[in-house]
Each structure stands twice: as C-alpha cells, then as structure tokens.
Amino acid sequence: MTTSRIPEATIARLPVYLRALTSMADSGASTCSSEHLAAVTGVSSAKLRKDLSHLGSYGTRGVGYDVAYLRYQITRELGLSQDWPVVIVGIGNLGHALASSSGFRSRGFSTVALLDADPARTGQEVAGLAIRPFADLTDVVVENGAGIGVITTPALAAQEVADAMVAAGIRSILNFAPAVLSVPETVLVRKVDLATELQILAYHEQRQGPGEEPVDDLLAGVAAEVETA
Amino acid sequence: MTTSRIPEATIARLPVYLRALTSMADSGASTCSSEHLAAVTGVSSAKLRKDLSHLGSYGTRGVGYDVAYLRYQITRELGLSQDWPVVIVGIGNLGHALASSSGFRSRGFSTVALLDADPARTGQEVAGLAIRPFADLTDVVVENGAGIGVITTPALAAQEVADAMVAAGIRSILNFAPAVLSVPETVLVRKVDLATELQILAYHEQRQGPGEEPVDDLLAGVAAEVETA
DNA sequence: GAGTGTGAACGTATTCACAGCC
DNA sequence: GGCTGTGAATACGTTCACACTC
C-alpha cells in the first residue's frame, strides 16, 4: 500500500502506461524518460509525472524511470500481481467475442465461466469453456471466488443479471448492455456502450461538418502527433 | 445551431438521456420532470438540468420537459437526424459482433462496409454484407461518403489502418485495438479498451478487499439506488 | 406548489514553471 | 545539463440553493 488515495483519472491511465512499459521491456529498454513514455502513450509529460508521483517516487532525477521497476509498481498498484476470476453472462456475438478476446487472457484475469439463460446455448463450447445455464451463477461465483462479472446480455435482461450477480457476491461489474443498472453502492459498475460512443462521434462529425476534403497523401497521416502540438 | 460550445461531459451523457426518453415515449409518457429523467438515467437532477440547459430552455417551469420535443432536440444536437455511414476494419470475433450488434443498427448509423486484410475472410458474408479486402478502403469511403471508421484489428495493424482511414477521408475513429493512434488533430479518436476496463475493476477489487461476504438475499440487490443516496 | 434555469461555491483534473537532485 | 517531483495557477465539472416562471 502506498498513498491510500489515487485519483480516478490517474487509475484509468495506468493500464495504458503499463502496456507501453511492457512493450518497452520486450524491446530491451531498461530505462525511459517521462517525455518518452508520455509520447508513446499520448499524454503530456507533466500529466504523466503527476500520475506517477501518486504511486511514489520511483524515478531518478536526471535519468528517468527504470522500466522493469515502474512496471512492477504499476502492476502491483492495479492489483494485477494476483489473478482475478471473471464470469461472463450472455454469450451472444459480443459475449463470444469477449470470451475469446486477448483482453481476457492478458495477465491478471481468468475467465472461469460463461453463462447464458438460453437453453439452446448451454453446453456449447466457447474458448474452451462449456456454456452453463444462468441458474448456475451463484454456484460458479462461490466455487471460484469470482468478484468480477461481465454482462453482455440484451438490455432487458441486464438488471436481473446484475441483481443475481450482486446476490452471488460479485463486487465489480463491466456492463456492455445499454441499460442503467442499479446496484448497492458497495458494487462498482463500469459501462461500455457502443451506441453511445458512435453518437459522440456523430456529434463531432456534425460539428466539424462533412465539408473537409479527403487527404490524398498517405504520408499526411504521420503529419501530426496527438497531443504533441 | 444553439450555443456553439457544449461541454464534452454533457455530450457523453446525451445519448443516455436520449435512450431513456425514447423508452418513455414508447411507454406513452408525454412529459417528464428532471427528477424522474435523472433517476432513470442514474445522474443527479441538478446535473441533468445543467446538461439540458446547454441545449437551450426546452423545459417548462412547474411542469417539466415534453418528452417528444426534448427527444427531438437531443437527436438534432447529436446529429442523429441524418444517417452516418460507418466502415468497420478487422472482422475477427469482435468486428463480427459489432457488425451484427444493435448499436450499429440503431437510428443514425448504417454500416456500409466490412473490410479485412486476411484473404481467407474476404468474400464471407457477415450481417448481410460481404467482407471486402482492406485495399478497397479508399474506394468504399469515397463512394459512400463515410466519415466514421471503426478499428477492430489486432494492435499491430491499428496504426496502419488509422493512417489509411485518414488518407481516405475518415474524420472520426472508434478504436477497439489496444494501441495509441497518432492522427492529425482534425481527426477525433475515441478508444474502447476491454483490458483497461478490467484492470480498473481489478484496482477497485483490490482496494475494497476480497473480504466481503456474498449477500444471500436476492432482494438485497434492489436495496440501494445508485446516486440516489 | 411544482419544477426549471442558473449564478456561486466547491471539488477535481490539467497545465505551468521551477526548485531540487542526480 | 538533464529530468523528476511538486506547489501554484488555471480550466473543467459538479453540486448547491434559490430566483423565477407556469
């Protein structure tokens, strides 16, 4: 335990830093400056240094950060030193995709069960796991000590699933269904909503107007680095 | 055009309000208060009113908001009165799921092409569209006047795809690949990252400790409304 | 009375700029 | 000289509380 309170915005960026550091380590880099890590992750160097300062003073003035050590500290802070069992409910196209996704197989998480209320799906095997009936949720959660649940059901089923997850002991929910979930305040819900993301893009499309001409030169894509202006 | 600048945080919530209003309209409600809409969407009523005030004064004091009219105004503000052509590059499990997803079929968007660099995939039909070779990108974008692109490729291919999209005239990108994209500042990129979301949940799991006991009573799930304490 | 719209207060996040250390 | 760590300044977002309208 370091400083017991790290800003939410910082937490959300730590995974990005972590990924970049892992990639650097794989490339054999042993040290890196805030300037470099910031450029690679698309944030400003000042923001990066502030973020890292919340974890402690792990850099060396005049030198930079030790890649391996910083990586270890972020891993530790995020709680990724141990493995977190995850259950996924709703194995349609999206649930199927997530179960097979590299995001779930990355270090720190293991999918322990796939559940679906549709009897036609139960028994089918996806990503090496047999789909089990939704009614097995509590058993599965208790047996595996799962604390994280993913909801990839239609919107109408989402609240029922969330209630069952909470009752079973799930404390963190990642919700892909376009529904607002009500849960006890001790349970954390994060929402990923495809339609919302597209609508935000539509807003910006409308604002900057569909008037711009396409850039013909492929090299133009390299012209500007994000947040380095 | 109303007030030319609406806060980013507000924009991100408008789609949620829109969905709730649509659902209310379907239920036959003709009017609603900020209190009610706030409860349904999980925000505070003060925040909701401030958000809506950025669009203009569309409410009636002592009464509330006209559901249909407010819905129309939000639709208009988000630019959803017209249809936005979307191209998806990378038709693996996730791309497949998104192409079939209701999020893309919801009013305002139409998937005009699915592209993949893998010759083994081109020609296959997904959600009623034949997968085309990645090399067709520029043609497809120009022909359909597409301004929005979705990237669901592996991380290594993402930057190349983004460059090609920008060169073809795409101005808004939704990136599902775990990679930081560099694009001209005129292009908007929004990122959805599964691994990051899970890692944020892991952080909170670790903090509140895996010590809590499961709640046995199903009804406990209904105990507390989010943000209504 | 009921409920919106909004200035003012508060809290959080980002940027700046530089002191301090290697 | 180079680069981190951090107070101070600024920008942004949320909450409060109430004037104003129907």
Side-chain angles (χ1 to χ4, degrees):
Chain A
M1 255 158 271
T2 45
T3 38
S4 55
R5 202 69 204 164
I6 296 180
E8 199 60 35
T10 295
I11 298 294
R13 284 187 294 266
L14 290 182
V16 182
Y17 303 153
L18 184 56
R19 184 175 294 136
L21 287 166
T22 301
S23 154
M24 283 179 195
D26 289 348
S27 311
S30 66
T31 191
C32 85
S33 68
S34 67
E35 202 73 49
H36 182 220
L37 186 51
V40 168
T41 55
V43 304
S44 72
S45 63
K47 199 194 284 190
L48 176 83
R49 287 200 302 276
K50 232 283 132 106
D51 281 344
L52 295 186
S53 76
H54 289 295
L55 312 186
S57 287
Y58 297 140
T60 309
R61 293 169 199 232
V63 179
Y65 300 91
D66 181 274
V67 171
Y69 186 58
L70 184 55
R71 193 165 95 89
Y72 167 73
Q73 289 298 343
I74 295 180
T75 299
R76 191 179 140 77
E77 191 66 46
L78 285 174
L80 300 175
S81 316
Q82 60 189 285
D83 243 48
W84 298 98
V86 174
V87 299
I88 306 180
V89 177
I91 316 300
N93 277 317
L94 185 56
H96 191 291
L98 296 189
S100 318
S101 138
S102 63
F104 277 87
R105 283 195 300 267
S106 58
R107 176 167 25 252
F109 304 94
S110 61
T111 309
V112 295
L114 308 178
L115 307 173
D116 202 297
D118 183 353
R121 284 185 185 148
T122 59
Q124 284 179 25
E125 199 165 294
V126 170
L129 282 173
I131 300 177
R132 299 177 60 169
F134 176 54
D136 288 6
L137 180 64
T138 303
D139 289 351
V140 161
V141 169
V142 172
E143 278 165 25
N144 297 280
I148 299 177
V150 178
I151 300 179
T152 42
T153 64
L156 283 176
Q159 183 63 56
E160 186 190 349
V161 171
D163 290 344
M165 280 183 169
V166 170
I170 293 284
R171 289 174 308 267
S172 303
I173 295 177
L174 184 52
N175 178 30
F176 286 85
V180 177
L181 301 181
S182 72
V183 296
E185 58 186 5
T186 56
V187 175
L188 176 71
V189 175
R190 286 189 67 91
K191 191 179 152 192
V192 175
D193 189 335
L194 174 61
T196 295
E197 293 298 327
L198 281 180
Q199 288 172 12
I200 295 170
L201 291 185
Y203 172 78
H204 284 94
E205 278 289 299
Q206 185 188 41
R207 298 224 96 238
Q208 75 175 45
E212 290 286 314
E213 280 146 43
V215 182
D216 279 312
D217 188 356
L218 248 175
L219 288 176
V222 203
E225 293 286 314
V226 186
E227 298 200 9
T228 318
Chain B
M1 252 158 273
T2 45
T3 36
S4 55
R5 201 70 206 165
I6 297 180
E8 198 60 34
T10 295
I11 297 294
R13 283 187 295 265
L14 290 182
V16 182
Y17 303 154
L18 183 56
R19 182 174 294 138
L21 288 166
T22 300
S23 154
M24 284 180 194
D26 289 349
S27 311
S30 66
T31 191
C32 85
S33 68
S34 65
E35 202 72 49
H36 181 219
L37 186 51
V40 168
T41 55
V43 304
S44 71
S45 64
K47 200 194 283 189
L48 176 81
R49 288 200 302 277
K50 183 130 284 178
D51 282 343
L52 296 186
S53 76
H54 289 294
L55 312 185
S57 287
Y58 298 141
T60 309
R61 293 170 199 229
V63 178
Y65 300 91
D66 181 273
V67 172
Y69 186 57
L70 183 55
R71 194 166 94 88
Y72 167 72
Q73 289 298 343
I74 294 180
T75 299
R76 190 179 140 76
E77 191 66 48
L78 284 174
L80 300 174
S81 317
Q82 60 187 288
D83 245 49
W84 298 98
V86 174
V87 300
I88 306 181
V89 177
I91 316 299
N93 277 317
L94 184 57
H96 191 292
L98 296 189
S100 317
S101 138
S102 63
F104 276 87
R105 284 195 300 267
S106 57
R107 176 167 25 253
F109 304 93
S110 62
T111 309
V112 295
L114 309 178
L115 308 173
D116 202 297
D118 184 351
R121 282 184 186 149
T122 59
Q124 284 179 24
E125 198 164 294
V126 170
L129 282 173
I131 300 177
R132 300 177 61 170
F134 176 55
D136 287 6
L137 180 66
T138 303
D139 289 351
V140 161
V141 169
V142 172
E143 277 164 24
N144 297 279
I148 299 178
V150 178
I151 299 179
T152 42
T153 64
L156 282 175
Q159 183 62 55
E160 186 190 349
V161 171
D163 291 344
M165 280 183 170
V166 170
I170 292 285
R171 288 173 309 267
S172 303
I173 295 176
L174 184 51
N175 178 30
F176 286 84
V180 177
L181 302 181
S182 71
V183 296
E185 58 187 6
T186 56
V187 175
L188 177 72
V189 175
R190 285 188 68 91
K191 192 178 151 192
V192 176
D193 189 335
L194 175 63
T196 295
E197 294 298 326
L198 280 180
Q199 288 173 13
I200 295 170
L201 291 185
Y203 172 77
H204 284 94
E205 278 289 298
Q206 185 187 40
R207 298 225 95 237
Q208 76 176 44
E212 290 285 313
E213 280 145 42
V215 182
D216 278 312
D217 187 357
L218 248 177
L219 288 176
V222 202
E225 294 286 312
V226 186
E227 299 199 9
T228 318

